[in-house]
Every structure is written in structure tokens, then in C-alpha cells.
Amino acid sequence: MRLAALSERSGVPIATIKYYLREGLLAPGRRIGATTADYDEGHLRRLRLVRALIQDGQVPVATTREVLGHIDDDSLGRTIRLGAALWALPQPPAPNEDDPAVQAARREVDRMLQSLGWETARELSTLSPVHRSLVAAVATLMRLGYPVDAELMAPYGELMHQAAVRDLDHVETFPSEEEKVEAAVVGAVLFKPVLEALHRLAQEEESARRYGIE
């Protein structure tokens, strides 16, 4: 398809597509003339991914380029490829390791991981921005006087593992390795609000069942 058709099918303006091409976010089309190129379904899929990350997910262009680089790195195994792509997404600042609340939070998170048997998460704890984010969140709650320990977190961890199984079952429905990683990244960026909203709705429903709505 020509650039105009790619724009029409994706809903992305031609000027934006040209910008993505200049920034290396979209591979060049197959050259068929001095000023024209042909684009295929792979370009359309990648364009939708780029648009989703930048426009809907508010991921910076430079970060999007890094994420795409990991998605395209077929020298990596799927777990590392997926992990690298997800870790490249924007993360909150690292917690202050001198903070007693952070130290306490780290101990409780480690106890929780140990109780769940999540050995990979424990082994990668010093590298994982997701692990640091969890420690920081738990530390904040502790500072505010809301005790969060391994026993409280573990049942939530078990529920999240069930959600992760569902996530990866869905990812497995895509045909290629590249599409599988793309689907996981889109899910991490855009499906999170769905999970948060479902959690809130479930809380509202349970509250009404327990306490009524009057």
C-alpha cells in the first residue's frame, strides 16, 4: 500500500507517519520510485503500536525507540526480550536505600517473594525497575502509618499471578515472536487502566454487598 493508504487505514496523519520514519520508529517502505514506497501489513501493525505507545500511553519518543529495539532483537529469548522491552518503559524514581522505610519495605517484599516461590523475581530484584517500584510503594504506605507486610501482600501476589497467566495465554495467540512481545508491551501500557478500573468496580460491588448502598 502507498503512504496515503497506510495513513487512511491506521488513522495516523501522513505528516506524523513521516515523522515516525525520520525518527526510526517505523521501518522504511519498499522503494518503488524516486519519491514513492510501498508499505505492508507489518508497517500497519507497527504504526498502530507506535501510535498507541506515544499518543495513548504517553511514552516519550526516545523511550519508544528503545522499547521497539528490544521488541525487534530476535537474538534474545522471549523472557529476556519481553523483560527488556517492559523495563524500558517509563518507571518511577528509584527509592532512597538509606531510608529506613525503604529498607523495611524491601525486607517485606523479599519475604513475600520467598513465600510465593518467585525465585526469578528475587534473583532480578537488584536490576528490576518493577521491583524497585513495588518497594517504593510499600515504603510510602509504611511512612503514612499503613503497615504492609509479606502476609498482606502474598494473597494479592497470588491473584496477580493468575492475571499474569491470563496475560501470557492471550499473548500466545499471536503468530510471531515479534507480535507476541508487541502484544505484551501494549498490554502493559494500555491494559493497566482496565485492570485498575475492574479492581475499583469489584471494591464497589463488594462494599455494596457487605454494607448496603443506603
Side-chain angles (χ1 to χ4, degrees), residues 201-212:
L201 286 173
Q203 289 174 329
E204 291 173 3
E205 182 67 22
E206 181 62 18
S207 178
R209 291 179 181 182
R210 290 191 185 199
Y211 313 124

Side-chain angles (χ1 to χ4, degrees), residues 5 22 34 37 44 53-54 72 96 102 114 125 144-145 161 173 185:
R22 289 196 302 272
L44 179 61
L53 291 174
I54 294 176
D72 293 335
N96 178 8
V102 170
Q114 187 173 19
S125 62
L144 293 174
H161 183 260
T173 65
V185 170

